[in-house]
């Protein structure tokens, strides 16, 4: 088991580094061209492998930190990529079984995060706050997925908005993991939530910039 853990750890470190590097490139440079797509493919593959390796490691060593990051980053990366193939739901395209599996699984994990988060807070463990934040964000995303799967889309380029939001979210997860593991100065709670606080405005900015034409009365992010 220890040999397996060490192999997975090496894979986790390498793919995490690739994810941070490629994610940073795509955040700071032009979007939508061929280079963006090429770098994005490396980001997608590295983050998926990283999340799977991290989740197995979290089971082997019973590490709640790893499991949260792994589940969150896998869901964000996978759904962010899947929505590129779901461009015509407003024209009766149906999501595939894998889409429902991803969303409903995330919903179950989100409920666990929230329940366990309350349990930790009741027992005076501040880490419960982190679980609550990640759980609530996950529920909101799963709720949005389900609404879109049912054809309740509010922007014609909803797929692009989801792609942007989820890929930046996956990058936030990778950056959070890096910061928490290497943190020596910041309070633990600050290290966990700082990337989310700093980079979430980028999600709103690029979502607004790429919103396109409204096709329903409500605001997309509501």
């Amino acid at each position: 088991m220890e040999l397996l853990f060490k192999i997975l750890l090496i894979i986790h470190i390498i793919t995490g580094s690739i994810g941070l590097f490629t994610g940073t490139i795509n955040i700071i440079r032009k979007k939508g061209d061929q280079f963006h797509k090429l770098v994005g493919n490396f980001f997608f593959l590295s983050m998926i492998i990283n999340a799977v390796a991290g989740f197995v490691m979290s089971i082997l060593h019973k590490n709640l930190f790893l499991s949260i990051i792994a589940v969150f980053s896998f869901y964000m990366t996978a759904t962010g990529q899947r929505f590129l193939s779901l461009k015509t739901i407003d024209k009766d395209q149906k999501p595939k079984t894998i889409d429902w599996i991803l969303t409903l699984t995330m919903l179950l994990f989100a409920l666990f995060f929230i329940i366990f988060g309350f349990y930790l807070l009741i027992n005076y463990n501040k880490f419960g706050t982190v679980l609550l934040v990640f759980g609530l964000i996950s529920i909101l995303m799963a709720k949005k997925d389900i609404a879109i799967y049912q054809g309740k889309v509010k922007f014609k380029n909803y797929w692009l908005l989801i792609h942007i939001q989820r890929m930046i979210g996956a990058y936030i997860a990778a950056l959070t993991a890096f910061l928490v593991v290497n943190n020596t100065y910041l309070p633990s709670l600050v290290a966990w939530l700082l990337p989310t606080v700093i980079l979430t405005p980028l999600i709103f900015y690029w979502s607004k910039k790429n919103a396109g034409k409204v096709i329903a009365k409500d605001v997309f992010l509501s």
Side-chain angles (χ1 to χ4, degrees):
M1 285 295 181
E2 282 305 308
L3 177 60
L4 174 60
F5 183 86
K6 289 179 180 178
I7 293 173
L8 290 172
L9 179 59
I10 294 172
I11 294 173
H12 188 71
I13 292 172
I14 293 174
T15 54
S17 300
I18 294 172
L20 278 175
F21 179 68
T22 54
T24 301
I25 289 174
N26 268 0
I27 281 181
I28 64 177
R29 69 174 304 279
K30 179 182 178 181
K31 310 293 184 290
D33 60 10
Q34 287 301 316
F35 186 74
H36 174 88
K37 294 175 182 178
L38 176 63
V39 173
N41 286 333
F42 278 103
F43 177 79
F44 168 74
L45 290 173
S46 64
M47 290 300 294
I48 289 295
I49 296 171
N50 179 270
V52 173
F55 188 74
V56 177
M57 287 166 59
S58 74
I59 295 175
L60 293 176
H61 276 203
K62 298 180 181 179
N63 189 317
L64 182 59
F65 156 69
L66 266 179
S67 63
I68 294 172
I69 294 294
V71 169
F72 201 72
S73 61
F74 184 91
Y75 168 75
M76 301 284 273
T77 306
T79 55
Q81 190 73 6
R82 278 297 308 156
F83 266 97
L84 293 178
S85 301
L86 298 173
K87 298 180 179 180
T88 56
I89 286 183
D90 57 316
K91 299 178 181 177
D92 296 327
Q93 180 187 11
K94 300 299 181 183
K96 295 186 180 296
T97 301
I98 185 61
D99 299 312
W100 282 106
I101 290 175
L102 287 170
T103 296
L104 295 179
T105 300
M106 186 68 254
L107 187 59
L108 290 175
F109 272 104
L111 292 174
F112 167 74
F113 291 162
I114 290 174
I115 292 171
F116 195 54
F118 275 119
Y119 170 79
L120 291 179
L121 287 177
I122 291 173
N123 288 276
Y124 306 102
N125 188 330
K126 293 181 180 179
F127 189 71
T129 303
V130 173
L131 284 171
L132 288 178
V133 171
F134 277 83
L136 289 172
I137 291 174
S138 299
I139 282 182
L140 290 174
M141 290 190 298
K143 179 183 176 183
K144 184 184 295 184
D145 286 355
I146 293 172
I148 292 175
Y149 295 162
Q150 294 173 336
K152 300 173 184 178
V153 297
K154 302 175 176 73
F155 286 85
K156 284 192 173 181
N157 57 347
Y158 62 89
W159 54 271
L160 177 60
L161 297 180
I162 296 294
H163 175 72
I164 292 171
Q165 294 163 6
R166 301 290 165 83
M167 289 309 185
I168 296 178
Y171 178 79
I172 290 174
L175 188 58
T176 299
F178 176 81
L179 184 60
V180 169
V181 169
N182 295 282
N183 176 47
T184 55
Y185 299 103
L186 297 172
S188 178
L189 186 61
V190 174
W192 265 95
L193 299 179
L194 188 61
T196 299
V197 172
I198 292 176
L199 293 177
T200 295
L202 281 179
I203 296 178
F204 285 98
Y205 170 74
W206 277 318
S207 294
K208 183 178 180 180
K209 183 177 179 180
N210 294 279
K213 183 178 179 181
V214 179
I215 57 175
K217 293 181 180 180
D218 299 325
V219 177
F220 181 81
L221 292 174
S222 62

